[in-house]
Amino acid sequence: MHKHSHDSDRILRVATYNIHKGVQGLGPARRLEIHNLGQAVQQLDADLVFLQEVRKLHRRYAQHFPHWPELPQADFLAPEGYHAVYRTNAITRHGEHGNALLSRWPVLGHQHQDISDHRFEQRGLLHVEVHAHGRRLHAIVVHLGLIPGSRIRQTQQLQEFIAREVPAGDPLVVAGDFNDWGVQTRHMLAEFGLTELDAPRAYTYPARLPLVQLDHIYARGLQPLGLLVPRGRLWWRMSDHLPLIAEFRLDPP
């Protein structure tokens, strides 16, 4: 895959990344990775970056880490000139976290839907409309639950949301942490015209020794060109997931 190409190619580069709330390690070995993640997001050089486990604030960590950013993480991670959209999924004792989209393209609008399946896991989907290469493009950031039954019901909610909110002719990208290394979600989304480039071994989890692919980029109305997972020590130190990058060609309107 090449670096970002000219506008005339109508190439759309998309990345999805679960950033583990910007902190890695346990106990005294905890370390703040949000500054490294900021450089990493820039290196991804994507037009759209789908982020999960993004903190808006965390009062305890803000006191614990001297270099905790003053900005919410989505704004902090957005490269210069990008638009950041963040919506909360979960409110916790010390703060809150959720999904975000960073866009190189102008944002036309956004909305959020709670898809929590039970009270122990707060989950949501973030829908953002952007103006890319003269077209309206829909981006949906998802983070599905840990329980298989929950994921099936959440995927049904996602399908209903798309049927209701996304016009059939508009290009659509659905990406994020699906918490699913089986084929259930893939089959359900395929019924809806959402497909994924089938790349061998696009494993994203666990970052240090990736064995499964939990992170996916599905699309409709776009021509898939390639899929890439950056690897190496730099990446596995920053989060328990590796990022996934896909490139598409967008047809003219």
Side-chain angles (χ1 to χ4, degrees):
M1 297 223 317
H2 47 274
K3 287 295 274 181
H4 196 73
S5 50
H6 297 298
D7 198 59
S8 57
D9 290 347
R10 308 186 67 83
I11 300 291
L12 184 77
R13 187 171 162 101
V14 173
T16 183
Y17 199 6
N18 180 328
I19 63 160
H20 203 259
K21 302 169 189 139
V23 174
Q24 274 292 86
L26 297 168
R30 262 188 328 217
R31 58 181 194 275
L32 187 59
E33 286 292 334
I34 196 73
H35 300 275
N36 293 331
L37 284 160
Q39 292 177 338
V41 164
Q42 206 147 4
Q43 279 176 28
L44 294 173
D45 193 34
D47 300 301
L48 299 174
V49 184
F50 294 63
L51 297 172
Q52 307 86 52
E53 292 198 24
V54 181
R55 282 218 188 276
K56 182 180 180 184
L57 63 114
H58 193 281
R59 287 173 285 271
R60 196 158 52 94
Y61 279 178
Q63 291 170 342
H64 176 81
F65 292 110
H67 301 294
W68 186 264
E70 293 194 0
L71 286 172
Q73 287 183 348
D75 298 303
F76 180 78
L77 292 174
E80 200 177 333
Y82 278 62
H83 309 272
V85 180
Y86 164 88
R87 291 298 290 270
T88 298
N89 290 342
I91 308 243
T92 56
R93 193 169 143 205
H94 298 286
E96 54 183 87
H97 59 87
N99 296 331
L101 185 86
L102 312 180
S103 173
R104 196 179 241 147
W105 305 109
V107 171
L108 302 171
H110 63 87
Q111 57 182 322
H112 175 269
Q113 180 168 312
D114 187 335
I115 56 167
S116 303
D117 189 59
H118 52 86
R119 65 194 180 87
F120 301 106
E121 280 187 281
Q122 296 167 288
R123 303 284 180 182
L125 59 83
L126 171 63
H127 171 219
V128 184
E129 295 178 52
V130 301
H131 191 253
H133 296 299
R135 294 197 64 177
R136 180 184 292 263
L137 176 93
H138 297 259
I140 299 179
V141 191
V142 298
H143 190 187
L144 299 188
L146 297 167
I147 299 164
S150 291
R151 289 196 296 273
I152 290 170
R153 288 185 290 274
Q154 287 166 343
T155 305
Q156 286 166 344
Q157 287 192 66
L158 171 64
Q159 289 175 325
E160 288 161 16
F161 181 88
I162 291 168
R164 192 174 68 240
E165 302 292 340
V166 181
D170 286 5
L172 165 66
V173 180
V174 179
D177 178 358
F178 286 81
N179 264 317
D180 184 9
W181 55 87
V183 292
Q184 180 83 49
T185 314
R186 183 189 299 177
H187 286 163
M188 288 178 75
L189 293 176
E191 290 167 24
F192 230 56
L194 279 158
T195 55
E196 179 172 46
L197 193 67
D198 224 1
R201 302 177 64 81
Y203 299 157
T204 56
Y205 185 87
R208 187 183 286 244
L209 185 71
L211 300 171
V212 293
Q213 184 181 351
L214 297 184
D215 306 270
H216 298 269
I217 299 172
Y218 293 94
R220 185 173 87 182
L222 292 156
Q223 189 186 333
L225 299 176
L227 200 61
L228 171 76
V229 180
R231 297 184 185 281
R233 183 171 190 272
L234 177 77
W235 291 100
W236 60 247
R237 279 186 62 81
M238 287 188 288
S239 173
D240 55 343
H241 288 247
L242 293 171
L244 180 68
I245 306 167
E247 281 193 350
F248 301 94
R249 182 170 282 115
L250 186 59
D251 293 331

